[in-house]
Amino acid sequence: MKAFTKDFNTGKTIEVEIPDENLEALQALTQDRVSDTKLQSYIDNLDLPADAKALIASILKTAVRVGEMVIRIGKKIVEIVIMIVSKFPNATFGLVLGLIVGALVTSIPLIGGLLGAFVLPIAAAFGLATGYMDDLRDNSLAKKVAEASAMFQPLKSDANVVS
């Protein structure tokens, strides 16, 4: 079965051949867990600049057509991110804090460029790990991330640019 999507950078259509045995799992991806209205309301209430909200809105529009099915992959990704952020605030906060510290180091004149390449990923990883350890006490973050990743496995295949 063929799946199609558009590359946002080039506008070209990408075609992927997906095995037919993944049809049932793909049909499950077409089911919405959260209504569009509720998701948009959540995004509107985020304490983010309008540009960030517009970026999230553009991600929401990303879709993949598989045969006659349309899988709103962008919406699924945003749903997962919102679920993880709301259920695992310590890991999220730790990651954001680590990214901010890394960005501050990167912005230091003269040495920021040299140190930033090393400090940014290390600070982000340390912040995430610290927050993750707090959230890990109930062991559900790893399960949720694994479930979310497994949900998209039926789409795995080699991609070809069609037009």
Side-chain angles (χ1 to χ4, degrees), residues 14-35:
I14 299 171
E15 177 183 306
V16 177
E17 187 66 36
I18 297 177
D20 289 337
E21 63 259 12
N22 292 338
L23 183 62
E24 190 174 313
L26 291 172
Q27 287 172 334
L29 284 175
T30 63
Q31 312 268 320
D32 285 340
R33 294 182 183 190
V34 178
S35 71

Side-chain angles (χ1 to χ4, degrees), residues 85 88-100 127-128 131 135:
V85 168
F88 307 103
N90 295 328
T92 304
F93 180 75
L95 175 62
V96 170
L97 187 61
L99 289 172
I100 290 170
L128 177 63
D135 286 330

Side-chain angles (χ1 to χ4, degrees), residues 54-111:
L55 177 64
I56 294 170
S58 69
I59 292 171
L60 285 172
K61 295 176 186 174
T62 305
V64 176
R65 185 172 41 96
V66 181
E68 299 297 316
M69 295 181 289
V70 175
I71 300 171
R72 297 174 59 191
I73 200 85
K75 182 178 179 186
K76 291 289 181 197
I77 291 169
V78 171
E79 283 176 2
I80 291 167
V81 169
I82 289 171
M83 182 273 304
I84 288 173
V85 168
S86 63
K87 288 192 177 190
F88 307 103
N90 295 328
T92 304
F93 180 75
L95 175 62
V96 170
L97 187 61
L99 289 172
I100 290 170
V101 168
L104 287 172
V105 170
T106 302
S107 69
I108 297 171
L110 299 175
I111 63 167

